[in-house]
């Protein structure tokens, strides 16, 4: 039965687990299957075509795992080719950019929005296009913060240098006087505390995880695909492309459950 299948999620590493956490909160009866491409992360500095190929390769793998929906839980991969994945997959495929933008627009009163993300996401201008498409009057200040992904993946969020890096990166945004900041990389919610500290309490941080989970819920509901059977956490599956230790350590803390991750060696493309 279609509704009993899993929701597939992919990211370059642990970042997409911020979306998984929200799925568990909003859709506790659903099973997930997750792929973190830890051998090839970070995606941010890579060319768009390469990220698109990597993402499609992973989606193809995930489609062998009894799934009913794919969530591209990575902004860089969403920016690199969401319409392409949607055109090549028979299940609903959603990304993380539009849900975050909708949330940001609902919170801004000054209509001055900041966006931070990987170099790939920021250079793609995917956020600008999406924001302008929904509200052309909004002023956007966007900025790449490439080191944040490496800080998260290397478990350095608490290190004293991290605050300095954040202060350095975020200075232009502080000076721009935004009232909403979109965390345009799924790794960044893991650094929300330090980002909030640097930006100050008057700036609202938006993680697209919450909105993405809501959109997934809406689509599954509309298509009659919500799991009616009740959850069994033993059925969640996690795959990574490098050795799983680091992913498991960070992942268990983040989603607050035992994580068993299996390594899948992806063929070079
Ligand atoms: N978490 C990803 C994103 O949302 C990818 C970060 C990276 O690998 O550079 O963009």
């Amino acid at each position: 039965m279609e509704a009993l299948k899993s929701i597939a999620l992919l990211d370059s590493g642990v970042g997409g687990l911020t979306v998984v956490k929200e799925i568990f909160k909003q859709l506790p009866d659903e099973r997930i299957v997750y792929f973190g491409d830890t051998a090839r992360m970070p995606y941010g500095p890579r060319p768009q075509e390469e990220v698109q190929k990597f993402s499609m390769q992973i989606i193809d793998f995930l489609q062998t795992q009894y799934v009913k929906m794919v969530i591209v839980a990575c902004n860089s991969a969403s920016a690199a080719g969401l319409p392409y994945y949607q055109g090549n997959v028979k299940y609903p495929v959603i990304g993380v950019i539009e849900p975050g933008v909708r949330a940001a627009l609902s919170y801004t009163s000054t209509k001055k929005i900041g966006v931070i993300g990987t170099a790939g996401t920021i250079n793609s201008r995917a956020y600008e296009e999406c924001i302008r498409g929904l509200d052309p009057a909004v002023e956007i200040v966007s900025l790449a913060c490439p080191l944040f992904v490496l800080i998260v993946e290397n478990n350095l969020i608490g290190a004293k240098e991290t605050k300095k890096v954040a202060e350095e990166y975020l200075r232009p945004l502080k000076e721009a006087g935004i009232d909403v900041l979109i965390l345009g990389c799924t790794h960044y919610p893991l650094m929300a505390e330090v980002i909030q500290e640097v930006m100050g309490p008057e700036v609202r941080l938006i993680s697209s995880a919450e909105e993405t989970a809501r959109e997934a819920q809406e689509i599954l509901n509309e298509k009659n695909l919500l799991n009616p059977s009740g959850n069994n956490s033993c059925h969640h599956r996690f795959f990574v492309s490098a050795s799983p230790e680091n992913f498991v350590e960070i992942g268990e803390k983040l989603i607050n459950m035992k994580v068993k991750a299996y390594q899948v060696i992806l063929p070079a493309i």
Side-chain angles (χ1 to χ4, degrees):
M1 193 184 151
E2 204 64 13
L4 297 178
K5 293 181 173 179
S6 303
I7 300 175
L9 298 103
L10 62 138
D11 180 46
S12 63
V14 295
L17 293 176
T18 55
V19 181
V20 169
K21 194 174 173 185
E22 268 308 315
I23 297 274
F24 287 167
K25 205 155 122 197
Q26 293 185 37
L27 294 164
D29 293 338
E30 297 299 329
R31 299 187 183 115
I32 65 107
V33 50
Y34 185 92
F35 199 108
D37 194 4
T38 45
R40 301 185 296 200
M41 89 70 207
Y43 277 5
R46 293 182 183 273
Q48 302 270 89
E49 308 73 53
E50 190 178 38
V51 173
Q52 189 182 95
K53 272 192 207 145
F54 287 174
S55 306
M56 199 61 233
Q57 183 188 34
I58 293 167
I59 292 172
D60 284 340
F61 168 80
L62 288 168
Q63 287 191 86
T64 66
Q65 299 297 310
Y66 202 62
V67 302
K68 59 184 175 187
M69 164 180 263
V70 176
I71 302 181
V72 184
C74 171
N75 290 263
S76 312
S78 298
L82 185 63
Y84 175 75
Y85 320 132
Q86 286 167 332
N88 282 283
V89 177
K90 59 178 184 206
Y91 314 108
V93 182
I94 62 174
V96 280
I97 293 179
E98 201 181 317
V101 165
R102 272 195 264 107
L105 291 175
S106 73
Y107 288 119
T108 181
S109 46
T110 60
K111 287 197 182 270
K112 214 166 182 193
I113 294 180
V115 181
I116 51 174
T118 65
T121 300
I122 298 302
N123 295 338
S124 75
R125 308 188 71 80
Y127 271 98
E128 269 96 335
E129 275 168 33
C130 188
I131 294 172
R132 292 258 147 73
L134 293 170
D135 187 345
V138 168
E139 196 180 321
I140 307 153
V141 190
S142 41
L143 203 74
C145 303
L147 281 178
F148 283 180
V149 170
L150 298 175
I151 288 172
V152 170
E153 289 285 341
N154 291 295
N155 230 339
L156 292 170
I157 297 166
K160 64 176 190 310
E161 293 77 11
T162 297
K163 175 110 188 269
K164 281 209 186 90
V165 173
E167 279 168 346
E168 201 54 45
Y169 271 150
L170 301 171
R171 186 169 303 131
L173 282 174
K174 275 202 84 162
E175 288 164 3
I178 53 166
D179 68 341
V180 170
L181 176 60
I182 300 177
L183 306 180
C185 169
T186 51
H187 281 74
Y188 296 179
L190 283 143
M191 287 186 58
E193 209 176 302
V194 59
I195 296 172
Q196 188 75 72
E197 217 177 294
V198 173
M199 291 308 295
E202 60 289 343
V203 174
R204 181 164 194 135
L205 304 189
I206 304 287
S207 145
S208 46
E210 222 175 289
E211 292 298 315
T212 304
R214 196 165 302 138
E215 185 170 328
Q217 204 258 354
E218 269 169 34
I219 294 172
L220 292 176
N221 189 27
E222 214 172 84
K223 296 192 178 294
N224 238 340
L225 285 175
L226 285 169
N227 190 340
S229 73
N231 176 49
N232 179 345
S233 61
C234 298
H235 287 95
H236 300 309
R237 283 159 297 151
F238 298 88
F239 297 100
V240 283
S241 51
S243 154
E245 293 76 27
N246 217 25
F247 176 88
V248 168
E249 193 187 332
I250 302 171
E252 286 187 340
K253 263 194 255 153
L254 175 59
I255 59 175
N256 207 13
M257 69 162 61
K258 193 104 200 90
V259 169
K260 195 162 170 37
Y262 300 90
Q263 185 176 5
V264 173
I265 310 282
L266 293 167
I269 43 173

